[in-house]
Amino acid sequence: MSKIKINIKVPLIYFILLSIISLMASVSPTNGQITDIVTSKSSQTTLLTLQQAQNLALENNKLIKKGNQGAESSLNKKKAMFTNYLPKFELSANYLLRSESTQMTLEGGYLPTYNFNPNNNELEPNLYINPLTNQPVYDQDGNPIFNQYALFPDKDLEILPKAGFSSAISLKQPIFTGGKITSAYRIATLGEDASQLNLKLSQENVLFSTEKAYWKVLSLVQKKKLTEKYLVLVENILQKVQDSFDVGMINKNQLLQAKVKYNEVALLDQEAENGLDLATMALAQEIGLPLSSQLILTDSLNNLTSMINLNNFSIADYSNRYDYQILKIKQKVADLNINLERSAFLPQIGILASYNYLSYQLNEENHDDFSTNAMAQFSLPIFQWGESIYKVKEAKAKYKAETFNLENTSQQMALQIKQSISEVENKLAKVTLAQSSLDQAHEYLKLETDSYEVGMTTLTDLLNAQTQWQKAYSNFIDAQFELTIAYKQLEKNCGKYLTQIM
């Protein structure tokens, strides 16, 4: 009986082995990597390289659009500050209408008279001369008495018109403002620089986030292909085991074992499908496409081990980071604010020139007056109860605070870079170990398959070998993904990420 059993079992094993070998034909003989191309579930698909995905993210991201507007706003503010160096021209016009004109009465009286002296062509007082003394006569108040007096009646006059129009063209030019204009312009210039850095920082964050999402989808694509292959392998084994059970060559325990394994792998495949769908939607949202978009990524998750050179990175590279440079600008602005506050109690010198026109009616006569004015102005605060001094001290305290913040942040960034270097080293080791484990798992699977062919191993051992191969391959995909992200994070922490891709 034992010989008959062997003779019957060997052909069955042979057919099972042929199925396994044919299904594993797409597995690399050295590392078991899958090379199939993913097909789309829908006819409406979008082919995407990493560069295309990042370009879409830059075009559609709201933070980038906000940063562009902020940069434009800072540029216009800088231009506006520069105009403070230039003279200001102003045109003004006023029309005054009052309910009544302002009037007054000029009291009349008697006015002394004068005689013309032809000898000297001058007017001489027509004084009353005493014939006895031949001298002018004076009244009790000491005023001279004239021979004749002229009657001057009371006179009603307008001193302010009821209506009038005035206009002027003026020019104002600051000469010295204690450094206020210069400090304000330099602050505006630094503000523009900070806006540009903020825009680059936003671009860097968006591109990095997009790349993470892109590689995440690619890693899950690889895992989905892996579970599909694994499921086909187990499904074919289950079919062969079912056929053997139907002809009574094996017991039900082996059939149940194969079914349990098939259900496990089917669930694993479903989980991989769900994870891929969610990751794809996250990538679509990141680049501004509808969540229902079907994306086919054309790049590949390559092994970066041979391309990484950690000697190119240093803990001092934080000076290249945009957020560090923004902090440097904030420190410079705080320093300039000291000068800006100090200018409040320094002399202010300027000039003003204007050309004026005034039209009005007064005492029933029309008047048109034109005039040109020029004025130099000098002002110097004398006493303000220490207001300016307190403001300067406040500005100095803010400068010291920004300096301490810059020093503290520099240390944190240096530590962050050191941690990133260590993380990349760990991920490099993980990839190497994962690659070795995958090679060993593939070799183990091949040995178990050969042993199962000649009846030297059990179905349990073969299924376990397949499971270990699947786990080893999944771990290798994860290690590649983690190394890629860790390396990109190191570039970002050293301020080299954006320069590598733009």
Side-chain angles (χ1 to χ4, degrees):
M1 291 294 294
S2 61
K3 291 182 178 180
I4 296 175
K5 183 176 181 180
I6 291 175
N7 291 333
I8 296 174
K9 184 176 180 180
V10 169
L12 178 61
I13 294 174
Y14 176 75
F15 286 117
I16 294 175
L17 180 61
L18 286 178
S19 299
I20 293 173
I21 294 174
S22 63
L23 290 171
M24 295 178 63
S26 61
V27 180
S28 170
T30 56
N31 57 15
Q33 294 184 4
I34 297 172
T35 59
D36 291 351
I37 299 176
V38 178
T39 59
S40 173
K41 297 180 180 179
S42 170
S43 59
Q44 297 179 349
T45 61
T46 301
L47 298 176
L48 275 181
T49 64
L50 174 60
Q51 184 64 50
Q52 291 170 335
Q54 291 178 325
N55 289 339
L56 284 172
L58 291 179
E59 291 174 6
N60 299 321
N61 190 272
K62 298 297 188 297
L63 290 177
I64 300 301
K65 294 180 179 180
K66 178 183 177 182
N68 285 326
Q69 294 302 314
E72 183 178 354
S73 174
S74 297
L75 175 60
N76 289 325
K77 182 176 181 180
K78 172 188 172 182
K79 292 179 179 179
M81 287 297 176
F82 181 77
T83 62
N84 291 326
Y85 288 107
L86 307 176
K88 299 292 191 300
F89 294 89
E90 183 178 312
L91 173 64
S92 61
N94 301 283
Y95 182 78
L96 175 66
L97 179 63
R98 307 167 68 231
S99 61
E100 295 291 340
S101 62
T102 301
Q103 299 180 348
M104 67 172 294
T105 299
L106 183 63
E107 293 184 358
Y110 294 95
L111 300 178
T113 60
Y114 287 78
N115 295 322
F116 177 72
N117 187 346
N119 296 325
N120 55 18
N121 294 327
E122 292 183 356
L123 292 175
E124 296 179 349
N126 186 14
L127 298 176
Y128 176 74
I129 304 299
N130 188 335
L132 297 178
T133 62
N134 200 29
Q135 294 294 324
V137 179
Y138 296 89
D139 61 12
Q140 295 179 352
D141 296 328
N143 298 317
I145 298 175
F146 288 76
N147 282 322
Q148 294 178 335
Y149 288 87
L151 177 63
F152 178 76
D154 294 345
K155 179 64 175 178
D156 294 329
L157 297 175
E158 283 185 304
I159 59 173
L160 289 176
K162 182 178 180 179
F165 172 79
S166 64
S167 63
I169 298 178
S170 60
L171 178 148
K172 298 179 181 179
Q173 174 65 58
I175 303 300
F176 179 74
T177 59
K180 180 179 180 180
I181 294 178
T182 301
S183 297
Y185 178 71
R186 292 178 62 189
I187 289 175
T189 302
L190 291 174
E192 183 196 9
D193 295 341
S195 295
Q196 293 293 338
L197 290 172
N198 266 318
L199 177 58
K200 290 183 178 180
L201 182 60
S202 297
Q203 290 174 339
E204 184 182 60
N205 290 333
V206 169
L207 292 174
F208 182 70
S209 178
T210 302
E211 183 164 2
K212 285 177 63 177
Y214 189 92
W215 295 129
K216 182 65 175 178
V217 171
L218 272 179
S219 68
L220 293 177
V221 166
Q222 290 292 320
K223 286 191 174 185
K224 182 63 175 65
K225 291 190 291 185
L226 175 61
T227 57
E228 287 175 352
K229 290 297 182 182
Y230 188 24
L231 182 62
V232 172
L233 289 175
V234 176
E235 184 178 12
N236 280 273
I237 291 177
L238 175 60
Q239 183 61 48
K240 298 301 181 181
V241 172
Q242 181 69 55
D243 293 341
S244 298
F245 176 77
D246 291 341
V247 297
M249 296 179 61
I250 60 174
N251 56 37
K252 193 173 182 179
N253 288 339
Q254 291 178 309
L255 176 61
L256 292 176
Q257 182 182 9
K259 286 182 176 181
V260 169
K261 176 56 67 174
Y262 176 82
N263 291 335
E264 290 178 357
V265 178
L267 178 59
L268 189 65
D269 182 64
Q270 183 61 44
E271 291 176 347
E273 177 74 18
N274 293 337
L276 178 59
D277 289 342
L278 291 175
T280 303
M281 286 190 289
L283 176 59
Q285 189 276 333
E286 192 78 35
I287 62 180
L289 295 181
L291 297 183
S292 58
S293 300
Q294 298 295 329
L295 306 178
I296 295 181
L297 310 187
T298 58
D299 286 298
S300 59
L301 192 62
N302 297 320
N303 193 340
L304 297 176
T305 304
S306 60
M307 299 165 37
I308 293 177
N309 184 5
L310 294 180
N311 293 327
N312 295 331
F313 301 94
S314 167
I315 60 174
D317 287 340
Y318 63 81
S319 59
N320 300 322
R321 292 174 54 158
Y322 299 120
D323 46 357
Y324 174 80
Q325 295 173 25
I326 290 173
L327 290 178
K328 288 280 291 182
I329 288 179
K330 291 179 67 177
Q331 183 195 36
K332 293 179 181 178
V333 169
D335 188 24
L336 288 173
N337 273 325
I338 298 175
N339 296 332
L340 189 62
E341 295 295 344
R342 186 180 288 119
S343 67
F345 56 90
L346 294 178
Q348 310 287 315
I349 302 175
I351 59 174
L352 171 66
S354 64
Y355 182 74
N356 308 285
Y357 167 70
L358 180 62
S359 175
Y360 60 95
Q361 186 180 51
L362 191 64
N363 296 316
E364 299 180 352
E365 293 183 0
N366 293 324
H367 298 269
D368 293 301
D369 295 336
F370 297 88
S371 63
T372 301
N373 301 320
M375 179 177 64
Q377 184 180 21
F378 173 87
S379 65
L380 177 65
I382 301 300
F383 183 69
Q384 298 176 330
W385 301 99
E387 176 186 4
S388 298
I389 295 177
Y390 296 140
K391 287 185 177 181
V392 170
K393 289 183 177 180
E394 177 188 5
K396 289 181 177 180
K398 289 183 178 179
Y399 171 74
K400 290 181 180 179
E402 290 295 341
T403 301
F404 293 145
N405 182 48
L406 180 64
E407 293 174 354
N408 181 61
T409 304
S410 301
Q411 295 175 354
Q412 292 178 349
M413 289 180 176
L415 177 60
Q416 190 179 48
I417 293 174
K418 179 61 178 177
Q419 291 172 339
S420 292
I421 293 175
S422 298
E423 184 72 9
V424 172
E425 291 174 340
N426 292 337
K427 297 307 179 183
L428 281 170
K430 184 175 180 179
V431 168
T432 302
L433 293 175
Q435 178 70 68
S436 177
S437 297
L438 178 57
D439 293 339
Q440 294 170 5
H442 180 69
E443 182 66 22
Y444 176 53
L445 176 59
K446 182 179 179 182
L447 291 175
E448 285 297 318
T449 302
D450 292 341
S451 297
Y452 192 75
E453 178 184 359
V454 296
M456 298 295 293
T457 189
T458 64
L459 176 63
T460 299
D461 292 334
L462 178 59
L463 294 177
N464 286 338
Q466 291 176 348
T467 300
Q468 291 183 31
W469 171 78
Q470 184 272 334
K471 289 182 178 179
Y473 198 98
S474 180
N475 290 338
F476 178 69
I477 295 173
D478 288 338
Q480 283 187 309
F481 169 73
E482 292 171 6
L483 174 61
T484 300
I485 300 305
Y487 183 68
K488 297 300 179 180
Q489 183 69 61
L490 174 60
E491 287 184 335
K492 186 173 182 292
N493 290 341
C494 292
K496 299 180 179 181
Y497 177 76
L498 196 60
T499 57
Q500 298 291 331
I501 61 178
M502 295 189 69

